[in-house]
Amino acid sequence: RKDDTVYVKLADVAEAKKDFDAASKYLKRALEIEEKKPARFARLSDLLLKIGANDEAFEAIQKSVEFESENPKYLDKFIEISIIVGNKKLANKALTQLTKVNADNNKLEQFKEKIANI
């Protein structure tokens, strides 16, 4: 069995060197081996945003939300990336979900405004 943690460590090293492209590639390899890791998908989305791969970042954070649909951190990030890629429908859906699980989130109004402007 291949060891996914080796690729995660390589991603850590690449990210520390600010080589976000290499870091994202290593993280993708780790996820090919062990894909049920929502935190890795969330991290991958951050790395992909840094290299301008917004659509891929959107797909990655969508995976995190699929695994943990009530995780406020993932929903927050999903809304932000949905706004970046201009997906109003999914941004609104995620906002509804985030409101249910974290009604005290101070970004809710800000998200509503940004989504309205898509």
Side-chain angles (χ1 to χ4, degrees), residues 62 65 69 75 78-79 82 87-100 115:
Q62 202 166 10
V65 172
S69 64
L75 288 166
F78 183 70
I79 294 167
S82 295
N87 193 323
K88 190 171 191 170
K89 181 181 174 189
L90 289 179
N92 272 317
K93 186 178 176 186
L95 180 61
T96 300
Q97 185 67 11
L98 181 60
T99 304
K100 284 181 195 169
I115 293 168

Side-chain angles (χ1 to χ4, degrees), residues 44-89:
L44 178 60
S45 72
D46 288 337
L47 292 168
L48 291 166
L49 282 177
K50 288 178 181 176
I51 61 172
N54 297 346
D55 290 334
E56 272 189 88
F58 178 72
E59 290 172 21
I61 195 60
Q62 202 166 10
K63 287 275 193 193
S64 295
V65 172
E66 285 172 19
F67 286 115
E68 294 184 19
S69 64
E70 296 191 355
N71 183 315
K73 184 176 156 191
Y74 298 156
L75 288 166
D76 187 300
K77 190 180 301 270
F78 183 70
I79 294 167
E80 288 180 13
I81 298 174
S82 295
I83 292 166
I84 291 168
V85 300
N87 193 323
K88 190 171 191 170
K89 181 181 174 189

Side-chain angles (χ1 to χ4, degrees), residues 11-38:
D12 292 343
V13 171
E15 187 174 8
K17 292 179 178 180
K18 307 271 189 251
D19 188 348
F20 304 121
D21 187 46
S24 68
K25 287 177 180 158
Y26 287 128
L27 212 48
K28 285 178 189 176
R29 293 286 304 270
L31 284 162
E32 286 171 11
I33 297 166
E34 179 53 67
E35 69 172 27
K36 292 185 172 110
K37 301 274 185 173

